[in-house]
Amino acid sequence: MNVLIVNDDGIESEGLRILAERVSKHHQVYVLAPDSNRSATSHHVVMFQDLELKKYKKNYWSTSGMPADCACIGIRSGLFDVKFDVVLSGINCGANIGTDIIFSGTCAGARQAVLNGIPGIAVSLDPIDWNKAHKEGFKYVALADFVVANLQELALLSSEKYPGTFVNINAASEDSYKGVKFANNLLKRRYNENIEILEKESGVFSHFKPSNSNEEYKGDTDYSAVREGYIAISCLYAEPVAAHVVDGISFKV
């Protein structure tokens, strides 16, 4: 298979390197990633300006653009001059669970692939204990090997079983897993953002200060599957889906 790998952590990230190394043992790999970290950029697409592309080595490029740009450029330009069978986005350092998906550049890379008619798979590692992970290292290999061993099946989820969806995979930073759980319910996360207003000589600025999030933990979710030692898999629509308007509401025109 011809596999395009993108991410939002940047071309130098460990998760990208390990995923590309493991996949390349069985498939033809092409990499296009941001030139630096683009986490939490959601589905930002750069318009009306040129994006710089730099070649690292054969089939490895970086761009000054965003994760969604990486997927779009890789698929629709002649940079690689191949037809891709699947796009992998990741492995992200940090979970993209439930509400995270809205903000995730990793998920945007997989979503953009589906919008361009190619199966898209987002892969994210949840360290759970960040202090431990920073001391002992982030464990990407087991999750990367799962993706490699099941790549065809994962691509089919995005293209045939659930057309118009991308696959979102999350797992803890571990050497092995109990198995796989399909997570039809997604965690609702509240981030409790703190925005500080700063007055400086050069002007007035706002500063985003992250706070501890709290989770609406109800039943079987992607969050609970990961915490229980499983690989969580969800299928998410790439196109927006409208809710039904409540009957009985009238409008003045």
Side-chain angles (χ1 to χ4, degrees):
M1 298 174 71
N2 289 326
V3 181
L4 174 63
I5 299 181
V6 303
N7 78 346
D8 73 355
D9 286 337
I11 191 71
E12 299 285 358
S13 72
E14 184 183 13
L16 174 76
R17 176 183 60 79
I18 291 175
L19 182 62
E21 288 176 354
R22 309 303 275 199
V23 176
S24 65
K25 293 180 180 180
H26 304 275
H27 304 280
Q28 186 64 45
V29 167
Y30 302 81
V31 173
L32 178 57
D35 54 17
S36 62
N37 192 297
R38 301 285 195 278
S39 294
T41 55
S42 190
H43 209 102
H44 182 173
V45 175
V46 178
M47 302 175 68
F48 312 122
Q49 68 183 73
D50 294 338
L51 296 178
E52 184 178 13
L53 297 167
K54 290 185 178 180
K55 187 174 183 179
Y56 270 57
K57 57 182 179 180
K58 183 180 180 182
N59 296 335
Y60 272 64
W61 289 75
S62 71
T63 175
S64 58
M66 302 294 169
D69 293 316
C70 294
C72 194
I73 294 167
I75 294 168
R76 298 189 63 85
S77 76
L79 182 66
F80 296 119
D81 196 28
V82 298
K83 177 176 174 55
F84 289 107
D85 299 296
V86 64
V87 173
L88 296 177
S89 187
I91 297 173
N92 189 66
C93 183
N96 282 301
I97 287 172
T99 312
D100 302 338
I101 295 165
I102 298 170
F103 307 98
S104 170
T106 303
C107 289
R111 185 187 297 113
Q112 185 62 45
V114 172
L115 293 175
N116 282 281
I118 307 295
I121 302 165
V123 190
S124 300
L125 189 81
D126 187 355
I128 300 180
D129 187 338
W130 282 86
N131 290 330
K132 179 181 178 181
H134 281 298
K135 290 178 181 178
E136 300 179 3
F138 296 86
K139 299 179 179 180
Y140 294 100
V141 173
L143 185 54
D145 286 345
F146 167 80
V147 172
V148 173
N150 298 278
L151 187 55
Q152 185 172 358
E153 291 78 8
L154 292 168
L156 287 174
L157 273 180
S158 178
S159 61
E160 293 188 11
K161 187 169 180 59
Y162 301 107
T165 66
F166 68 92
V167 176
N168 190 38
I169 301 173
N170 284 274
S173 177
E174 299 292 349
D175 294 316
S176 63
Y177 302 101
K178 294 179 180 179
V180 176
K181 282 192 175 183
F182 284 95
N184 295 321
N185 298 313
L186 306 179
L187 177 75
K188 293 182 180 179
R189 197 190 296 272
R190 300 292 177 261
Y191 299 102
N192 302 315
E193 301 94 336
N194 292 318
I195 308 298
E196 184 179 359
I197 301 299
L198 305 173
E199 295 187 11
K200 302 180 180 180
E201 291 183 3
S202 54
V204 180
F205 303 85
S206 67
H207 179 76
F208 179 93
K209 299 180 69 175
S211 180
N212 292 329
S213 64
N214 62 332
E215 285 77 24
E216 188 176 318
Y217 181 73
K218 293 182 178 179
D220 293 330
T221 64
D222 47 1
Y223 178 89
S224 62
V226 171
R227 290 308 188 276
E228 292 165 6
Y230 292 87
I231 296 172
I233 297 179
S234 302
C235 292
L236 303 158
Y237 287 106
E239 295 282 0
V241 178
H244 291 290
V245 176
V246 178
D247 291 336
I249 296 178
S250 60
F251 299 92
K252 300 179 181 66
V253 179

